[in-house]
Amino acid sequence: ANINGRPLNCGDTLETEYRLSVYNPVNDWGLIRGAPDELAKTATQFGFTGHYTQKLSLDNLIALANAGIPSIVRIPTHIMILTGGDSQNVFLADSGGLHLSKVTRAQFLHGLPGSRLYAGQSWMAGWYVILTPNKNNT
């Protein structure tokens, strides 16, 4: 997605969440309630439909992402975009300090790498928002 002719960045998203009253920079968790519908509400501002469901597996999410439909996924203290994967790896867009772009499936499911921030945390299965581009956004 683009905003004012430049690629969308994390700050743009946070500003929009603040304007929508779903994000508070003073709150330890950032999102007011940490609920998926807050992210879905924000996604609509950038030309996506955000859909929350708890019925898909990691394989399902990877298949969707490989077909151009990424998902926002959550670990206990952070969210990332699942952008694809294969039988061994999960591909991510991560705005956190570790900037993870590829982790093994085992790391994603049982404990992310690193020595700081969210190291050792794993995906909260069943917590994701599927991002489908709106027709005028493709």
Side-chain angles (χ1 to χ4, degrees), residues 120-131:
Q121 297 181 9
S122 60
W123 173 49
M124 295 173 66
W127 197 108
Y128 47 82
V129 178
I130 300 165
L131 297 174

Side-chain angles (χ1 to χ4, degrees), residues 10 13-14 17 22-23 28-40 42-43 52 71-83 92-100 108 112 117-118 121-124 127-129 131:
C10 184
T13 304
L14 293 175
E17 288 174 337
V22 299
Y23 169 78
D28 288 339
W29 286 91
L31 293 172
I32 302 298
R33 295 184 330 272
D37 63 321
E38 294 170 333
L39 295 172
T42 303
Y52 174 69
S71 298
I72 300 170
V73 294
R74 183 174 182 181
I75 62 172
T77 61
H78 189 52
I79 59 173
M80 299 177 235
I81 307 292
L82 191 152
T83 61
L92 302 166
D94 171 25
S95 64
L98 298 180
H99 301 288
L100 298 175
F108 187 77
L112 295 170
L117 298 177
Y118 37 85
Q121 297 181 9
S122 60
W123 173 49
M124 295 173 66
W127 197 108
Y128 47 82
V129 178
L131 297 174

Side-chain angles (χ1 to χ4, degrees), residues 24-89:
N24 181 342
V26 178
N27 183 326
D28 288 339
W29 286 91
L31 293 172
I32 302 298
R33 295 184 330 272
D37 63 321
E38 294 170 333
L39 295 172
K41 183 177 181 181
T42 303
T44 63
Q45 302 297 305
F46 296 103
F48 293 90
T49 298
H51 178 71
Y52 174 69
T53 178
Q54 295 181 309
K55 299 180 191 275
L56 299 179
S57 68
L58 177 57
D59 287 330
N60 296 141
L61 294 177
I62 288 173
L64 283 170
N66 286 342
I69 302 173
S71 298
I72 300 170
V73 294
R74 183 174 182 181
I75 62 172
T77 61
H78 189 52
I79 59 173
M80 299 177 235
I81 307 292
L82 191 152
T83 61
D86 57 32
S87 63
Q88 300 296 314
N89 300 294

